[in-house]
Amino acid sequence: MRFLFLVLFFIFIPLSLFSANVGIFNTIGKDTDAIIIKDLSNKKLIFSKDESQVLRPASLTKVMTSILAIESGKMNSVVTITAEMKRVEPTIANFKIGEKFYLKDLVHAAMIKSANDAANAIAIYLGNGNKQIFVNMMNLKARKLGMANTNFTNPCGFDIGNHKTTAKDLLILSEYAIRNSTFNSIVKLNKYAFKAINTKKPYVVYSSNKLLRVDSSVIGLKTGYTSGAGACLIARAKKGKKDVLMVMLNAQNRWPNAKKALDSILN
């Protein structure tokens, strides 16, 4: 009888936990236009809803902007801020015209604070003064990665024209980006301090990712918001042998739902 009890215990407890997780995911799914969650440790999909629906990505776009900058081999190159680079809003680091920065500092500002002037500066600099050239590079990279339903119109994530992607495509991009150690070292930071090279003016950027401040297992990746996209998030968390990557697009209750989803998997 005791043996039978133990067998039933090990059979039914895991099933009940699995059912509870499904209930959590379904509830969270109702609050999002699209969501996809993957366990990278075993390469298995945990949950998805409308992962191929074409939607606005907001500042999740900056993952592509930043990985192209990192891969350019110019992270220690000096970028001089121009009036065109500053012609963006609303989230900005507020650089001054004529200030000089290392490209790596602009990448940190773009990914951590989600500074649009930093992302715009990256694009104009790497496009040799022509932002559209950089946008073309973004779309070429997307096609090479297999992001079949993605089209970028700008490096920041503004709702301009046909600037669209899917949760599935963003998962593909994120899985690619996190293979890069420099990218990973940036997205896990809650704070980054740097100075303009020529004026020595100090800048400090703080992460827009609230999960980094409340959950030690979270190691990135990127937040986003526009009126057209709603609240968006790419989150990555590691605990024990589990390595979880999640993409949420137009997510209501973004922070509590993201925390709930990650906790249900990692704990």
Side-chain angles (χ1 to χ4, degrees), residues 170-204:
L170 288 171
L171 185 76
I172 292 171
L173 173 61
S174 300
E175 285 194 83
Y176 174 80
I178 62 176
R179 295 177 198 159
N180 187 291
S181 59
T182 299
F183 180 87
N184 289 333
S185 70
I186 294 171
V187 298
K188 70 179 183 181
L189 296 177
N190 186 48
K191 174 184 175 182
Y192 181 74
F194 59 104
K195 292 181 180 180
I197 297 169
N198 53 339
T199 67
K200 306 303 180 185
K201 179 182 176 181
Y203 286 86
V204 181

Side-chain angles (χ1 to χ4, degrees), residues 68-142:
L68 285 176
I70 292 168
E71 292 182 342
S72 72
K74 299 179 179 180
M75 288 286 271
N76 290 317
S77 296
V78 177
V79 181
T80 302
I81 301 300
T82 65
E84 184 186 1
M85 292 173 179
K86 283 178 56 65
R87 207 169 291 133
V88 288
E89 56 182 34
T91 304
I92 57 173
N94 200 24
F95 302 130
K96 307 303 179 186
I97 295 174
E99 283 185 320
K100 297 178 182 293
F101 298 96
Y102 293 114
L103 182 64
K104 63 183 178 184
D105 292 330
L106 298 179
V107 174
H108 278 79
M111 284 301 297
I112 296 170
K113 181 183 174 66
S114 201
N116 290 317
D117 47 0
N120 206 38
I122 291 168
I124 292 170
Y125 174 72
L126 291 179
N128 295 317
N130 187 333
K131 183 162 57 178
Q132 187 57 49
I133 290 176
F134 184 81
V135 172
N136 293 344
M137 291 165 58
M138 296 171 70
N139 285 314
L140 178 61
K141 187 72 169 183

Side-chain angles (χ1 to χ4, degrees), residues 15-34:
L15 286 175
S16 65
L17 289 174
F18 176 77
S19 298
N21 284 358
V22 169
I24 290 171
F25 297 146
N26 284 335
T27 299
I28 293 170
K30 292 176 183 177
D31 281 349
T32 63
D33 277 2

